[in-house]
Amino acid sequence: MKFISWNIDSLNAALTSDSARAVLSRKVLDTIKAEDADVIAIQETKLPVAGMSAKLQAALEQYFPEYKAEYVCSQPPAKKGYAGTMVLYKNNLSASCEAAKIGAPDTMDDEGRLLALDFGSFYFVNVYTPNAGDGLKRLSDRQKWDLAYAEFLSGLDAKKPVVACGDFNVAHEEIDLANPAGNHMSPGFTDEERQGFTHLLSKGFTDTFRHVHGNVEKVYSWWAQRIKTSKINNSGWRIDYFLVSDRIKDQVTKSEMLDSGERQDHTPLILEADL
């Protein structure tokens, strides 16, 4: 099976806007469409509580006419049009969907950050992990999220194998970002967040990119938009992942990043596995 994961940073902007950034986003969607994946996970959809408008629904179906869509949006008391996750899967597949709540702190459980699908022989989980925030103001809550998410994923893994993907908002090791020395107190590279990811892997999960490629340097999934030369200089971070249950790691045949061209921010990931 083939899987793709991408933080799109607003589904509506990507599909209905005429901005220069939207044009670049649609080029990425063209790349994703050409891959003809079985399952596509999207993070940071930023949809309103009411869901997709008719215009957006039509635009999405034009890109992916042979897919079903499941999604969850940010709900009160969480901020409107915030976070949000979606999973598209081929019409020939069957899945039951769960917009999971994991007992996370503050409004994190209401922000549409987690979507789990049961495909019968395995679980597929799409996550948009909360950022620790400017000044690390949300770091304590982020740590609680990491523990709750690890327990949630471990609970699924006890029943059947898991494929988990998304924007985990952490560069796990120093090799996973271009400038580790200057970022030890930055959101996404604190000791606490890195330890949280180590704990998650210790629950029985494999980072598929490292499993396939080993310690390949300068391969990243995100480049800061605020720094215009970040992608040109490859000053990036690897904060997006495909994880699988340890017991199916050797069934993974491909795990890498797709080319997002000139567009900065996140690039899509692709996973192929014999499931």
Side-chain angles (χ1 to χ4, degrees), residues 2 4 29-38 67 90 254 258 270 272:
K2 183 185 291 189
I4 287 175
L29 285 169
D30 289 337
T31 298
I32 291 173
K33 181 178 180 179
E35 288 290 341
D36 194 32
D38 297 287
Y67 291 78
K90 285 284 190 71
K254 183 177 184 178
L258 291 176
I270 186 166
E272 294 182 16

Side-chain angles (χ1 to χ4, degrees), residues 24 79 177 185 193 197-198 200 217 225 258 265 267:
L24 292 177
K79 291 187 289 186
L177 71 167
M185 293 302 295
E193 291 163 297
F197 197 78
T198 297
L200 171 59
E217 294 188 32
Q225 293 185 65
L258 291 176
D265 203 30
T267 201

Side-chain angles (χ1 to χ4, degrees), residues 134-155:
D134 292 339
L136 302 178
K137 60 186 177 183
R138 220 179 186 191
L139 179 58
S140 177
D141 285 347
R142 162 64 187 268
Q143 289 178 268
K144 295 172 185 175
W145 166 281
D146 284 343
L147 289 173
Y149 178 76
E151 288 303 311
F152 170 73
L153 222 60
S154 180

Side-chain angles (χ1 to χ4, degrees), residues 66-202:
E66 299 177 357
Y67 291 78
K68 305 168 191 173
E70 299 283 357
Y71 61 93
V72 59
C73 309
S74 184
Q75 304 280 337
K79 291 187 289 186
K80 296 179 180 179
Y82 184 59
T85 49
M86 174 181 284
V87 175
L88 305 168
Y89 60 99
K90 285 284 190 71
N91 287 333
N92 64 323
L93 298 175
S94 297
S96 58
C97 180
E98 177 183 350
K101 294 194 174 185
I102 58 175
D106 194 28
T107 61
M108 289 177 175
D109 265 343
D110 300 304
E111 293 168 4
R113 293 184 173 276
L114 188 57
L115 198 54
L117 276 71
D118 183 349
F119 279 97
S121 60
F122 67 95
Y123 287 109
F124 183 81
V125 181
N126 180 19
V127 69
Y128 176 38
T129 303
N131 191 291
D134 292 339
L136 302 178
K137 60 186 177 183
R138 220 179 186 191
L139 179 58
S140 177
D141 285 347
R142 162 64 187 268
Q143 289 178 268
K144 295 172 185 175
W145 166 281
D146 284 343
L147 289 173
Y149 178 76
E151 288 303 311
F152 170 73
L153 222 60
S154 180
L156 295 182
D157 183 54
K159 302 172 188 176
K160 64 184 75 174
V162 174
V163 176
C165 70
D167 175 359
F168 284 79
N169 262 316
V170 62
H172 185 212
E173 302 289 356
E174 290 196 350
I175 195 174
D176 293 317
L177 71 167
N179 181 26
N183 281 293
H184 281 284
M185 293 302 295
S186 298
F189 197 60
T190 63
D191 290 345
E192 293 87 349
E193 291 163 297
R194 295 169 64 195
Q195 289 165 4
F197 197 78
T198 297
H199 173 70
L200 171 59
L201 296 181
S202 76

